[in-house]
Amino acid sequence: MLRRATVADADALAGVARATFEETFGTLYSAADLATFLEQHNARDWAAEVADPAFAVLVVELGHTLVGYVKLGPPRLPFTPKTNAIELRQFYLLKPWQGSGLGPRMMDWALDEARTRGVAEIYLSVFIDNERARRFYVKYGFKDVGKYAFMVGNHADQDIVMRKTL
């Protein structure tokens, strides 16, 4: 089931955020850098964002277990939007559910939510070596517009910034 997150989901969102990042990227970083980064995914911060109308969070819940989420929010990437914009800040689904058809449903929600908010552009960033994610975003019409250093602790990764005009 796909549904809007509530503040009551904050603990589960924090857990899924940590789990999806670790399973996707955990082997790329030192334990210290990974721990520093994962501290950002805490229930207190999730609760604040879910309660903030500037954000929109969708959860993917199977049974009573969260297995993925999408988060839209105010742009914070190092770019200058040409028009009113929103950022697709996070888009994660645990590996057992990747390829299940949930990803397209999640993206459809994100694009519909952005349009409902009246924005003209949606931005995201993706790790340069995450080919699967990059192909997924290109399929939805996102185009590369630049690169930036994404920090995981003290480790700088190269991410690609992508934009889609709505």
Side-chain angles (χ1 to χ4, degrees):
M1 171 173 75
L2 279 64
R3 63 172 176 79
R4 283 192 179 270
T6 68
V7 172
D9 294 316
D11 283 330
L13 277 162
V16 171
R18 288 189 300 268
T20 54
F21 192 86
E22 283 184 282
E23 88 179 354
T24 306
F25 305 110
T27 60
L28 301 178
Y29 310 107
S30 71
D33 284 338
L34 185 60
T36 297
F37 180 80
L38 293 177
E39 286 173 13
Q40 299 172 46
H41 296 288
N42 61 68
R44 182 188 73 251
D45 290 346
W46 272 105
E49 288 181 341
V50 169
D52 184 340
F55 289 84
V57 180
L58 176 82
V59 295
V60 180
E61 185 177 49
L62 300 176
H64 296 291
T65 304
L66 264 58
V67 300
Y69 66 95
V70 179
K71 179 169 60 172
L72 294 168
R76 67 174 182 196
L77 289 167
F79 61 85
T80 304
K82 296 177 182 180
T83 60
N84 187 19
I86 198 164
E87 182 180 332
L88 177 57
R89 291 205 179 172
Q90 293 165 346
F91 189 105
Y92 284 105
L93 190 61
L94 288 167
K95 282 188 180 179
W97 291 276
Q98 292 175 7
S100 69
L102 288 167
R105 291 177 58 201
M106 294 163 66
M107 181 58 78
D108 290 344
W109 174 87
L111 297 174
D112 287 346
E113 178 68 20
R115 287 182 187 106
T116 297
R117 288 172 176 250
V119 299
E121 298 177 310
I122 184 168
Y123 286 79
L124 61 82
S125 71
V126 60
F127 180 51
I128 197 165
D129 291 333
N130 191 342
E131 293 294 331
R132 182 178 183 175
R134 289 176 62 197
R135 283 191 308 270
F136 180 79
Y137 297 136
V138 166
K139 185 171 112 177
Y140 280 89
F142 285 87
K143 300 192 182 318
D144 295 5
V145 294
K147 295 179 180 148
Y148 89 108
F150 179 82
M151 298 304 296
V152 177
N154 292 314
H155 181 94
D157 276 331
Q158 189 171 44
D159 269 24
I160 296 173
V161 176
M162 301 181 85
R163 178 184 70 224
K164 176 180 174 63
T165 302
L166 298 174

